[in-house]
């Protein structure tokens, strides 16, 4: 080989380094590089989107979980409220976010099970567009009235609704929420007509009952309990199948509503979801950490005080549960002919 061409040939050492770099690049593309060779997650703050107004159940839980999760992952977990359309606006935002583990959503029975059957045009698919992470827990709704209300029982509400069809109003945290369906199912089973007044979350709904803008409220125990304990609200019934441990003297709707309401039951739930396509190692890390948080004695006691039955179920179990809930609520909405206002 001529001398001028031979000088252009790489030395054995350079050739070996080039082959090593190519090999590493191939491993990186296939995801086989060790963790320390890639950017470790999390390398920046994580956004926890609450698709309801501040002060409601999902917001309270997001801040409780987020604060502890931040300590575990070593990065801030920033709660961001994006309320509206029964949880659809915030959930749609997360559905379209990058699936990189930096955007989560506090999913609920409404945003991730009910709405898909209630709204004619959904901007996202609650199953296909999300990766289930962890189930925080389940909780009942409570039928409450202002402490100044003359109504002392479920039967009082039914009697008033029969006397003034369509005039007795019930507030909820929004169209498609479990609070909304609790009121609709109550009306259907009791054979009365109620006026539904939706709000953009639990906090404004609670304020409306305090101010007399609505007659009754079906509200999650998390938002209703402080008002009951302070004497501002009177609890008439729980929507669960059994009485709440914190309110042993408050009957279930099924108990207090008479024969027509026998079998009445609606229980809400709260969970954490990520955008579909979020890498499994990140999902599993989040699920494990959130599961540990929920099992901590202090957190379990806090959740119990809010009327929540803690869970901590991981991705696979939450996915199966969510699909069963979507089917269940689709049937109820069709049977009761429930429509968003």
């Amino acid at each position: 080989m001529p001398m001028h061409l031979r000088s252009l040939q790489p030395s054995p050492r350079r050739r070996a380094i080039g082959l090593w770099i190519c090999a590493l690049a191939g491993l990186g593309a296939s995801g086989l590089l060790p963790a320390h060779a890639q950017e470790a997650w999390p390398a920046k703050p994580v956004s926890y989107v609450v698709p309801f107004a501040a002060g409601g159940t999902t917001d309270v839980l997001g801040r409780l979980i987020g604060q502890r999760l931040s300590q575990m992952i070593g990065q801030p977990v920033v709660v961001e409220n994006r309320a509206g359309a029964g949880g659809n606006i915030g959930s749609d935002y997360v559905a379209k976010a990058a699936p990189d583990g930096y955007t989560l959503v506090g999913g609920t029975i409404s945003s991730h099970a009910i709405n898909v059957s209630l709204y004619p045009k959904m901007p996202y698919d609650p199953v296909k567009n999300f990766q289930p992470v962890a189930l925080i827990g389940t909780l009942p709704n409570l039928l409450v009235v202002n402490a100044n209300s003359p109504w002392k029982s479920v039967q009082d509400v039914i009697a008033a609704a029969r006397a003034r069809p369509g005039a007795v109003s019930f507030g909820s945290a929004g169209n498609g929420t479990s609070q909304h369906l609790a009121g609709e199912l109550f009306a259907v089973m009791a054979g009365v007509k109620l006026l539904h007044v939706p709000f953009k979350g639990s906090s404004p709904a609670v304020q409306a009952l305090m101010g007399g803008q609505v007659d009754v409220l079906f509200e999650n125990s998390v938002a209703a309990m402080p008002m009951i304990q302070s004497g501002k609200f009177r609890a008439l019934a729980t929507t669960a199948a059994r009485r709440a441990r914190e309110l042993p003297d408050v009957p279930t709707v099924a108990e207090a509503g008479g024969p027509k309401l026998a079998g009445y039951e609606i229980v809400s739930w709260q969970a954490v979801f990520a955008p579909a396509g979020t890498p499994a190692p990140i999902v599993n890390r989040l699920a494990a950490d959130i599961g540990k948080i929920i099992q901590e004695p202090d957190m379990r006691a806090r959740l119990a005080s809010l009327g929540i039955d803690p869970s901590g179920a991981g991705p696979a179990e939450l996915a199966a549960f969510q699909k069963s809930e979507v089917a269940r609520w689709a049937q109820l909405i069709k049977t009761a002919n429930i429509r968003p206002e």
Side-chain angles (χ1 to χ4, degrees):
M1 178 182 297
M3 182 63 69
H4 67 281
L5 293 179
R6 187 180 306 153
S7 64
L8 296 177
Q9 297 299 310
S11 67
R13 182 173 180 272
R14 289 182 177 177
R15 187 182 298 114
I17 293 174
L19 290 173
W20 181 73
I21 292 173
C22 289
L24 284 180
L27 287 172
S30 63
L32 297 178
L33 267 176
H36 66 268
Q38 301 178 354
E39 181 182 69
W41 179 93
K44 59 182 181 180
V46 173
S47 175
Y48 189 116
V49 175
V50 172
F52 299 97
T57 301
T58 310
D59 182 68
V60 170
L61 293 178
R63 295 178 192 281
L64 280 175
I65 298 295
Q67 181 180 23
R68 188 70 186 90
L69 182 62
S70 175
Q71 297 170 352
M72 296 183 76
I73 66 175
Q75 288 286 350
V77 175
V78 182
V79 174
E80 182 180 355
N81 296 89
R82 290 178 175 266
N88 284 355
I89 293 176
S91 298
D92 182 50
Y93 172 81
V94 176
K96 294 175 172 58
D100 54 10
Y102 291 105
T103 308
L104 307 173
V105 64
T108 71
I109 187 175
S110 56
S111 63
H112 284 73
I114 293 173
N115 288 359
V116 68
S117 296
L118 187 69
Y119 287 85
K121 293 183 179 180
M122 281 286 286
Y124 62 89
D125 186 304
V127 175
K128 294 180 180 179
N129 294 149
F130 292 90
Q131 167 59 56
V133 177
L135 179 64
I136 297 174
T138 59
L139 63 159
N141 289 318
L142 295 168
L143 172 56
V144 296
V145 295
N146 191 296
N148 297 324
S149 171
W151 301 335
K152 302 293 195 299
S153 69
V154 172
Q155 290 299 331
D156 287 345
V157 176
I158 294 174
R162 285 176 178 162
R164 298 183 294 133
V168 173
S169 60
F170 80 93
S172 80
N175 284 312
T177 60
S178 66
Q179 296 96 312
H180 173 202
L181 264 67
E184 296 287 4
L185 182 62
F186 179 92
V188 168
M189 292 182 68
V192 298
K193 185 176 181 180
L194 300 175
L195 174 64
H196 176 222
V197 183
F199 295 90
K200 289 187 176 181
S202 292
S203 184
V206 166
Q207 292 300 317
L209 184 62
M210 285 185 63
Q213 282 81 49
V214 293
D215 297 310
V216 301
L217 191 65
F218 285 87
E219 186 50 71
N220 283 163
S221 59
V222 173
M225 284 294 286
M227 307 304 292
I228 295 168
Q229 292 166 345
S230 67
K232 295 177 180 177
F233 286 177
R234 179 186 305 124
L236 303 185
T238 174
T239 65
R242 63 179 184 273
R243 297 189 181 197
R245 181 175 55 184
E246 295 75 20
L247 299 169
D249 297 329
V250 176
T252 66
V253 170
E255 286 177 327
K260 287 189 175 182
L261 284 161
Y264 178 100
E265 179 187 3
I266 286 186
V267 178
S268 183
W269 50 265
Q270 298 276 335
V272 179
F273 293 84
T278 301
I282 296 176
V283 173
N284 293 335
R285 165 75 186 278
L286 283 166
D289 286 349
I290 294 173
K292 290 176 183 176
I293 291 169
I294 293 172
Q295 296 307 320
E296 291 175 349
D298 288 349
M299 182 62 72
R300 291 184 69 85
R302 176 68 173 135
L303 294 177
S305 72
L306 296 172
I308 297 173
D309 184 13
S311 173
E317 193 174 348
L318 174 55
F321 173 70
Q322 182 196 12
K323 289 178 181 177
S324 69
E325 283 285 277
V326 169
R328 176 193 176 202
W329 291 106
Q331 182 61 42
L332 173 62
I333 290 168
K334 180 179 179 181
T335 301
N337 194 31
I338 298 172
R339 296 285 185 270
E341 284 74 8

